[in-house]
């Protein structure tokens, strides 16, 4: 049986990984700078964060496979700007208001180390959020489903009632590129 470490604090990623590798260890890395590079495309920026996480993985870990991930949204108005995780309820409300009634791209990068060798994958998907009423926006902020979520929402959570996947993989939107999920499936 393969031993796998998902180096992430995301409960959503943990659920996806444990559905494939039930005995996976899901524990985030401490003290990783998640500041993206200040230049390049959204794809390059999310990849740079993922690679920073990979560099923070201790060399002496006991696992057969290690997985690091990051997810960001492309700003619907400025394609090379990213929307990360909101820091508070006001920023979450601002992000959700900006996304309301619009389509946007969600980018996920995943790094998977098998037998000491890292491979990285970047994928994007397109999500459309309906025009949110004031009541829906307030509810999404007050229920705190935005915490720890790129763009301030979780497609598999309360936002699922207001958003739909237009193109790409749901796993990409939820935080792990589909290609990485396919590799995990081939390891078990």
């Amino acid at each position: 049986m393969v031993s796998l470490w998902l180096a992430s604090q995301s409960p959503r990623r943990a659920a996806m990984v444990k559905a494939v590798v039930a005995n996976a260890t899901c524990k985030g890395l401490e003290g990783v700078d998640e500041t993206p590079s200040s230049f390049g495309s959204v794809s390059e920026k999310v990849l740079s964060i993922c690679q920073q996480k990979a560099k923070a993985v201790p060399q002496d870990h006991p696992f057969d496979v290690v997985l690091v991930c990051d997810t960001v949204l492309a700003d619907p108005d400025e394609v090379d700007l990213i929307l990360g995780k909101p820091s508070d309820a006001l920023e979450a409300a601002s992000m959700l208001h900006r996304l309301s009634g619009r389509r946007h791209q969600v980018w996920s990068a995943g790094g998977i180390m098998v037998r000491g060798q890292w491979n990285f994958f970047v994928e994007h998907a397109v999500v459309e959020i309906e025009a949110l009423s004031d009541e829906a926006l307030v509810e999404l902020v007050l229920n705190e489903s935005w915490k720890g979520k790129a763009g301030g929402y979780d497609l598999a959570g309360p936002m699922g009632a207001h958003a739909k996947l237009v193109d790409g993989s749901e796993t990409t939107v939820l935080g792990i590129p589909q290609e990485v999920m396919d590799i995990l499936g081939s390891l078990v």
Side-chain angles (χ1 to χ4, degrees):
M1 183 176 290
V2 67
S3 65
L4 182 140
W5 173 22
L6 169 64
S8 173
Q9 296 178 11
S10 165
R12 183 70 62 209
R13 285 189 189 113
M16 289 191 298
V17 167
K18 284 186 173 274
V20 178
V21 182
N23 69 329
T25 298
C26 302
K27 182 178 186 283
L29 295 162
E30 298 295 326
V32 177
D33 179 11
E34 295 189 32
T35 305
S37 60
S38 57
F39 58 90
S41 66
V42 172
S43 173
E44 293 166 325
K45 290 174 183 178
V46 73
L47 178 60
S48 74
I49 298 167
C50 191
Q51 289 172 331
Q52 287 168 212
K53 290 178 179 182
K55 287 178 186 172
V57 171
Q59 295 291 324
D60 61 348
H61 68 81
F63 298 93
D64 299 322
V65 177
V66 179
L67 176 60
V68 294
C69 299
D70 201 76
T71 302
V72 299
L73 274 65
D75 186 305
D77 295 319
E78 193 67 39
V79 73
D80 286 333
L81 293 180
I82 63 172
L83 299 177
K85 300 172 193 169
S87 58
D88 57 29
L90 184 59
E91 190 175 12
S94 175
M95 284 183 185
L96 294 174
H97 180 72
R98 183 180 200 116
L99 297 171
S100 177
R102 306 178 76 188
R103 286 184 179 187
H104 60 277
Q105 294 178 338
V106 180
W107 290 83
S108 282
I112 186 165
M113 183 176 63
V114 180
R115 294 181 203 83
Q117 180 69 37
W118 282 102
N119 287 294
F120 293 92
F121 304 89
V122 179
E123 295 177 7
H124 80 278
V126 177
V127 174
E128 182 174 84
I129 296 178
E130 68 185 33
L132 298 170
S133 67
D134 291 343
E135 294 79 17
L137 184 61
V138 167
E139 182 181 326
L140 288 166
V141 173
L142 290 179
N143 70 22
E144 298 187 342
S145 61
W146 55 268
K147 286 190 172 183
K149 305 291 189 297
Y153 74 88
D154 179 0
L155 186 65
M159 181 57 88
H162 307 283
K164 66 179 179 179
L165 180 64
V166 175
D167 186 40
S169 168
E170 184 175 7
T171 66
T172 298
V173 177
L174 297 178
I176 303 175
Q178 183 61 51
E179 195 164 3
V180 172
M181 292 301 295
D182 293 345
I183 291 169
L184 289 179
S186 73
L187 294 173
V188 292

